[in-house]
């Protein structure tokens, strides 16, 4: 997996005059199998539970194993010669989180699919992290085999602002420090849109995203990350 920070100076549609910090990343995955293997190890590792308070430990012990078993036995085990839509969105989420940690020093929160009570079909944001500025970042992932669904990811974020993000706070709370909690209460937060990239030009894709109506709403907050994931 190769991660490249896209220099904002090369993008002519960066909104001006706002207080939102905007970052763009381009991820290239030439062989999906090592990423799937990494992802399987990542979701199967539940050592993070032991670092939580006792009530949170009981909660997440009850919710995570069923989801892990389903992902490993019903999705990963059935992958044949190519990426399919079932695993695709997990790869996008996982790659996005890794890029945020590596390139922007984010603290990662376990994937939302592992934390929520629903075994599959996560009904809200797909991944979360805490930025170095102590902002909770809500991430949305969209995958397509042959298109670039950046608009779908951004539009869904806008639909979720003030609704799904706030409804997730109770089960995210055990992973937040005091500064991040205060920022959340003050409605200071960030969003990340990760999407499969199947267009010829990454700059065109990012400029189209930056010039879209959803971005005008998202940049009212503190941080925005656009993450294009290219599966070769």
């Amino acid at each position: 997996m190769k991660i490249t920070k896209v220099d904002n100076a090369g993008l002519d549609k960066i909104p001006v005059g706002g207080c939102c910090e905007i970052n763009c990343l381009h991820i290239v995955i030439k062989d999906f199998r090592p990423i799937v293997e990494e992802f399987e190890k990542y979701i199967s590792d539940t050592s993070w539970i032991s670092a939580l308070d006792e009530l949170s430990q009981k909660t997440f012990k009850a919710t995570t194993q069923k989801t892990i078993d389903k992902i490993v036995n019903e999705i990963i085990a059935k992958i044949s010669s190519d990426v399919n839509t079932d695993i695709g969105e997990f790869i996008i989420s996982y790659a996005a989180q890794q890029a945020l940690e590596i390139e922007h020093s984010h603290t990662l929160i376990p994937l939302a699919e592992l934390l929520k009570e629903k075994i599959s079909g996560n009904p809200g944001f797909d991944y979360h992290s805490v930025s170095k500025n102590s902002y909770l970042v809500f991430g949305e992932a969209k995958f397509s085999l042959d298109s670039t669904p950046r608009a779908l990811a951004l539009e869904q974020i806008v639909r979720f602002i003030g609704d799904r993000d706030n409804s997730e706070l109770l089960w995210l709370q055990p992973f937040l420090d005091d500064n991040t909690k205060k920022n959340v209460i003050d409605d200071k937060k960030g969003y990340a849109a990760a999407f499969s990239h199947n267009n010829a030009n990454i700059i065109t894709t990012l400029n189209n995203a930056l010039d879209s109506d959803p971005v005008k709403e998202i940049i009212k907050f503190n941080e925005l990350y656009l993450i294009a994931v290219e599966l070769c």
Side-chain angles (χ1 to χ4, degrees), residues 36-224:
V36 172
E37 291 174 3
E38 281 183 33
F39 172 67
E40 182 175 357
K41 291 178 182 176
Y42 171 70
I43 62 161
S44 299
D45 180 4
T46 58
S47 59
W48 53 270
I49 295 177
S50 62
L52 303 176
D53 63 88
E54 291 184 11
L55 284 177
S56 297
Q57 287 185 41
K58 289 179 72 68
T59 299
F60 294 127
K61 282 178 181 177
T63 59
T64 56
Q65 197 57 53
K66 291 178 183 178
T67 300
I68 291 169
D69 291 344
K70 184 176 181 66
I71 294 171
V72 171
N73 298 326
E74 297 185 26
I75 297 178
I76 293 176
K78 294 180 180 179
I79 296 173
S80 55
S81 61
D82 206 350
V83 175
N84 57 44
T85 53
D86 288 332
I87 194 62
E89 193 163 292
F90 285 118
I91 292 176
I92 300 296
S93 294
Y94 174 73
Q97 276 201 319
Q98 296 303 302
L100 290 173
E101 181 181 42
I102 293 167
E103 298 295 335
H104 292 287
S105 302
H106 282 213
T107 300
L108 304 187
I109 295 172
L111 286 180
E113 196 84 9
L114 299 176
L115 304 179
K116 299 179 183 181
E117 68 280 358
K118 196 169 183 180
I119 294 177
S120 63
N122 163 23
F125 285 97
D126 299 303
Y127 57 97
H128 305 78
S129 61
V130 176
S131 75
K132 61 185 178 181
N133 297 315
S134 297
Y135 296 130
L136 176 58
V137 176
F138 297 85
E140 184 62 32
K142 292 296 181 187
F143 172 78
S144 173
L145 288 167
D146 53 14
S147 67
T148 299
R150 48 97 186 161
L152 293 176
L154 292 167
E155 288 164 4
Q156 186 140 306
I157 287 174
V158 172
R159 287 196 299 272
F160 285 175
I161 290 176
D163 178 17
R164 297 294 177 87
D165 49 6
N166 287 338
S167 70
E168 295 177 344
L169 294 176
L170 279 179
W171 55 261
L172 289 170
Q173 185 173 235
F175 303 96
L176 309 181
D177 61 26
D178 289 341
N179 288 336
T180 305
K181 289 177 184 177
K182 184 180 185 306
N183 282 332
V184 168
I185 291 168
D186 293 339
D187 215 25
K188 296 177 180 178
K189 52 193 171 182
Y191 296 94
F195 47 87
S196 48
H197 180 252
N198 291 297
N199 291 345
N201 192 306
I202 184 64
I203 300 300
T204 299
T205 295
L206 293 172
N207 273 326
N208 287 340
L210 291 164
D211 199 34
S212 66
D213 287 337
V215 163
K216 293 180 176 66
E217 293 299 314
I218 298 170
I219 61 172
K220 293 177 182 178
F221 297 91
N222 300 83
E223 294 179 350
L224 168 63

